[in-house]
Amino acid sequence: MAGTQLETKFQQDVMPALRKELGIANVYRVPRLSKVVVNAGLKLAVQDSKVIDTAMRDITAITGQRPTITKAKKAISNFKLRKGLPIGVRVTLRRNQMYDFVQRLIGVALPRVRDFKGVSATGFDGHGNYTLGITEHVVFPEVDVNKMQHSYGMNVTFVTTARTDQEGRRLLELLGMPFRQSTQD
């Protein structure tokens, strides 16, 4: 089974570079992507239940995998939110679909963001995992703008096997993630 271009790049270029830079002897200790989670919270779903259906269609087109519906864990009367009400969609990508999505995100979607100067490096969680916020889902070319009623944002979380944020950032840099160069993110 042939892998994607990004997976081949990881095996041939990124892994040897990380082993050398980090001084890792064991090939299984080299940081790698384990999964990518795409999550879209939809506050409009409280008033209009059709928003969930369109989000399911769009996220399926973007990721190539059908998402699951996330539901409210508790009721909040000020937001007219009841427990169990659908309020978002989420999909977890692994292996080939993950590499394919990351390649399209870095190569196609992020350059389409208006006034794009790179992604912030402050989205790390202390364990080498990185979360990126995308304000509009229409930056993906798979989304049909003519069928779209609402624009919504999404979070993309890169879960890595890195032990530190520095290892995780270096892994993502070598894979092509365009981090901002400034010290103030």
Side-chain angles (χ1 to χ4, degrees):
M1 180 164 73
T4 63
Q5 289 177 343
L6 191 64
E7 188 174 13
T8 305
K9 177 182 177 182
F10 173 76
Q11 297 289 338
Q12 294 176 355
D13 302 335
V14 175
M15 190 182 286
L18 281 173
R19 280 185 75 179
K20 185 176 179 185
E21 282 180 32
L22 302 175
I24 298 171
N26 187 347
V27 70
Y28 297 107
R29 167 63 184 88
V30 175
R32 63 186 73 226
L33 277 176
S34 59
K35 64 183 175 181
V36 173
V37 180
V38 179
N39 179 40
L42 305 163
K43 62 183 175 186
L44 295 172
V46 175
Q47 287 92 16
D48 185 11
S49 61
K50 290 186 173 83
V51 172
I52 294 287
D53 297 332
T54 58
M56 293 272 289
R57 182 192 67 223
D58 291 344
I59 299 291
T60 301
I62 291 169
T63 62
Q65 185 172 314
R66 185 173 166 82
T68 60
I69 296 173
T70 56
K71 299 184 181 203
K73 292 182 180 179
K74 60 183 182 178
I76 302 172
S77 63
N78 288 346
F79 299 127
K80 298 179 181 160
L81 187 64
R82 293 185 309 275
K83 183 177 180 178
L85 200 67
I87 55 168
V89 294
R90 178 184 63 210
V91 64
T92 301
L93 303 170
R94 298 176 196 270
R95 294 184 280 290
N96 287 345
Q97 284 183 315
M98 170 187 69
Y99 283 112
D100 184 47
F101 173 76
V102 172
Q103 184 174 336
R104 285 185 290 112
L105 174 72
I106 293 171
V108 179
L110 288 179
R112 290 179 61 168
V113 173
R114 189 176 315 171
D115 299 330
F116 184 69
K117 294 178 178 62
V119 296
S120 172
T122 61
F124 286 95
D125 67 351
H127 301 286
N129 305 318
Y130 179 69
T131 300
L132 165 70
I134 298 174
T135 54
E136 291 183 338
H137 76 291
V138 295
V139 296
F140 289 94
E142 296 87 0
V143 176
D144 186 5
V145 183
N146 298 326
K147 292 182 180 178
M148 187 183 78
Q149 287 108 10
H150 305 286
S151 179
Y152 52 86
M154 61 179 66
N155 290 331
V156 180
T157 302
F158 300 87
V159 180
T160 69
T161 60
R163 295 181 182 174
T164 64
D165 288 347
Q166 291 78 20
E167 288 180 3
R169 178 176 175 155
R170 190 63 189 139
L171 167 67
L172 292 175
E173 282 175 347
L174 290 173
L175 286 174
M177 184 65 71
F179 288 104
R180 273 188 223 131
Q181 297 301 320
S182 68
T183 55
Q184 295 176 339
D185 283 320

